[in-house]
Amino acid sequence: MRIVTNSSAETEALGERIASRLTGGEVLALFGPMGMGKTAFTRGLAHGLGVKGEVSSPTFALVHEHAGKIPLYHFDMYRVASWDDLYSTGFFDYLESNGVLVIEWSENIEGALPETAVRIVVSPGEMEDQRIFEIEGLEL
Ligand SMILES: Nc1ncnc2c1ncn2[C@@H]1O[C@H](COP(=O)(O)OP(=O)(O)OP(=O)(O)O)[C@@H](O)[C@H]1O
Ligand SMILES: [Mg+2]
């Protein structure tokens, strides 16, 4: 499925629509370079899951936990360069939980992603504020 957004707000709305399809236990693997709206998408996702707090990039913490109707675990794998790094984020423990995992910079942990992961590749569109979301493994 291919979805084009034309603003950060539209990307958040897409995240919210996707949240309405989730029941817990899903892994959403986000791919795409800096500034593509991965965090914006996650903000909408969080809102849709009933998360109350702020959503920011977990660049230093590597993972942020958000309580919602379904717990949301938000990873940023930008700095993850080895299996040891990945273990230390608690990724494998979170995989066993019934929460939703959303993973920025999935490029860096490709080999550790479950086969069932929903893959979301974000790329720039023709216009400055345009983003193209290619979503595999989930229907809207
Ligand atoms: N269609 C769009 N969707 C999302 N963000 C957009 C869009 N158009 C413009 N933007 C802008 O692009 C930026 C996206 O920032 P965001 O932090 O969500 O990116 P990111 O992919 O998480 O980057 P990083 O890899 O650094 O974490 C914001 O400044 C936002 O305003
Ligand atoms: Mg981000």
Side-chain angles (χ1 to χ4, degrees), residues 5-8 11 33-40 57 104-105 129 131:
T5 70
N6 293 292
S7 65
S8 185
T11 293
M34 263 180 211
M36 275 305 107
K38 301 180 295 294
T39 300
S57 248
E104 297 194 35
W105 291 99
D129 287 346
R131 305 287 188 268

Side-chain angles (χ1 to χ4, degrees), residues 49-90:
L49 292 174
V51 170
K52 296 281 183 268
E54 291 284 299
V55 171
S56 59
S57 248
T59 309
F60 295 101
L62 303 178
V63 57
H64 287 163
E65 296 188 15
H66 296 284
K69 285 178 291 214
I70 303 172
L72 177 67
Y73 304 116
H74 178 199
F75 292 86
D76 186 338
M77 300 304 188
Y78 186 69
R79 288 158 191 276
V80 171
S82 67
W83 284 87
D84 272 359
D85 286 355
L86 183 55
Y87 271 104
S88 69
T89 67

